Amino acid sequence: MVEKLHKIWVDGELVDWDDANVHLLTHSLHYGLGAFEGVRCYKREDGGSFIFRLNEHIGRLFDGCKMTLIQPKFTREQIMQACGDVIRANKLDECYLRPIVFIGAGDMGIYCPNNPVRAAVIAWRWGAYLGDQALKKGIRAKISSFARHHVNVSLAKGKIMGQYTGSVLAKREAKLAGYDEAILLDPQGYVSEGSGENLFIVKKGVLMTPDLSSSILEGITRDTILTLAREEGIPVHEGRLTRDQLWLADEAFFTGTAAEVTPIREVDNRTIGDGTVGPITRRLQERFFGIVKGTDTSHVEWLSRV
Ligand SMILES: Cc1ncc(COP(=O)(O)O)c(C=O)c1O
């Protein structure tokens, strides 16, 4: 259960945790239209707290609003400011942040153009999403019977609330079958992504991941890893991946704000490589954690001090 903190930013004000509620007629609760983000704030070696790639996350939040024709009442700068305010108000040094823009109560029905557009930023403490052991040893994944949405059925490039029913169903199916995470194929049968993560494989030294024209979220951690891989001189290929390419990969891993860089040691009972964390995964994991935790002083442009 999420540990109760003190304040949540709601529509421009810091309100008490227990008072941050919505009415049952909240439009987004019924119809799922709204955009959200997941952002992490890390405590670095020097003791300072920094939000990782805040600008890009809030940019994607506004992209989601643009695609759904939702006009937020607040600017990007105000939402970014709210992220810092929530961290300070709760005296947090590390946390996960959840900015959310949604349609409030008013009229009911599908078309309610006059309902208020509301915004909130919530912070909570969140350790390793798939567990500390997952980061060290890797996880077991299962290809889901649920496909990722066709690009014209959903807005793949947005973190749109209602779209996550597919992810929740896929995750439930995987967990009930004894696996840690689900991998979704796209409607054409190619590998897409995890329920809340992008997916990478390594084959013969080449780092591969589905390209952006596929039905994946344009992950900010994905972009981080691609940037770091290029810096490390690792050849990178963005393109279609088949299920058997995944099964036969030398290494595989997930990336995401919540999952960070989580190795995958098994897919559908096929061991990936030798079942341990491979050298390229390990190197990229080290670079990623080095930057967010402050032992690597590169890419300060990705960090916003709280
Ligand atoms: C479906 C999906 N894919 C990928 C990701 C990874 O994106 P990011 O690295 O920006 O957190 C997420 C998490 O936000 C997600 O929900």
Side-chain angles (χ1 to χ4, degrees):
M1 203 168 141
V2 168
E3 178 201 348
K4 179 177 158 179
L5 299 176
H6 305 292
K7 297 282 181 187
I8 293 180
W9 184 92
V10 186
D11 292 327
E13 279 175 52
L14 285 165
V15 303
D16 286 343
W17 183 274
D18 287 333
D19 296 333
N21 303 313
V22 292
H23 196 276
L24 288 176
L25 285 177
T26 297
H27 192 272
S28 299
L29 188 62
H30 297 252
Y31 302 109
L33 201 72
F36 68 96
E37 264 308 313
V39 193
R40 271 193 195 263
C41 168
Y42 289 94
K43 183 177 175 192
R44 297 184 94 222
E45 280 235 311
D46 64 4
S49 292
F50 292 83
I51 307 176
F52 188 62
R53 304 199 70 173
L54 179 62
N55 206 26
E56 291 85 342
H57 280 286
I58 302 307
R60 188 170 64 188
L61 179 73
F62 277 73
D63 285 351
C65 293
K66 175 179 180 172
M67 288 191 285
T68 48
L69 299 173
I70 291 174
Q71 186 64 54
K73 277 196 301 200
F74 297 91
T75 63
R76 286 162 202 249
E77 289 68 31
Q78 285 171 315
I79 303 283
M80 286 197 273
Q81 174 73 39
C83 290
D85 290 349
V86 161
I87 295 171
R88 283 185 289 271
N90 290 293
K91 300 190 172 39
L92 291 161
D93 52 9
E94 283 199 303
C95 65
Y96 182 86
L97 288 164
R98 170 56 53 80
I100 183 165
V101 177
F102 60 100
I103 304 175
D107 289 333
M108 274 311 252
I110 303 289
Y111 184 62
C112 297
N114 300 319
N115 284 22
V117 173
R118 306 196 53 197
V121 181
I122 313 144
W124 65 85
R125 290 186 217 277
W126 218 4
Y129 176 62
L130 295 163
D132 289 324
Q133 277 306 101
L135 291 175
K136 291 189 189 114
K137 302 246 182 262
I139 57 142
R140 297 176 62 241
K142 177 190 185 323
I143 293 190
S144 182
S145 70
F146 294 96
R148 179 88 175 141
H149 305 270
H150 182 277
V151 284
N152 293 333
V153 172
S154 70
L155 305 165
K157 297 295 171 274
K159 272 180 86 74
I160 309 301
M161 292 164 50
Q163 287 175 193
Y164 277 80
T165 51
S167 286
V168 175
L169 289 168
K171 180 85 182 191
R172 285 186 173 189
E173 180 186 64
K175 291 293 277 184
L176 288 171
Y179 297 84
D180 304 303
E181 188 51 288
I183 295 171
L184 289 86
L185 304 180
D186 69 16
Q188 288 73 42
Y190 294 91
V191 174
S192 169
E193 60 181 351
S195 67
E197 307 90 2
N198 291 111
L199 183 127
F200 286 82
I201 67 165
V202 176
K203 187 72 181 180
K204 295 191 176 132
V206 180
L207 183 68
M208 299 191 237
T209 194
D211 66 280
L212 292 179
S213 69
S214 63
S215 58
I216 60 165
L217 187 72
E218 187 171 352
I220 291 159
T221 323
R222 175 188 182 278
D223 176 73
T224 303
I225 288 301
L226 287 172
T227 305
L228 297 177
R230 290 188 177 108
E231 281 174 17
E232 294 292 308
I234 300 165
V236 168
H237 175 73
E238 293 178 64
R240 274 183 167 176
L241 288 182
T242 63
R243 182 179 67 171
D244 45 15
Q245 277 179 299
L246 173 58
W247 286 346
L248 297 176
D250 300 328
E251 302 178 30
F253 61 90
F254 282 129
T255 62
T257 298
E260 298 166 309
V261 181
T262 299
I264 303 171
R265 64 181 154 87
E266 199 183 298
V267 180
D268 298 336
N269 306 316
R270 277 86 171 167
T271 302
I272 302 299
D274 64 4
T276 64
V277 181
I280 291 184
T281 307
R282 189 172 296 287
R283 180 69 194 130
L284 293 169
Q285 222 186 16
E286 278 168 6
R287 283 292 317 273
F288 174 80
F289 283 109
I291 290 169
V292 297
K293 305 265 187 193
T295 50
D296 179 334
T297 52
S298 63
H299 291 293
V300 286
E301 74 281 8
W302 287 343
L303 304 166
S304 307
R305 186 183 276 275
V306 178

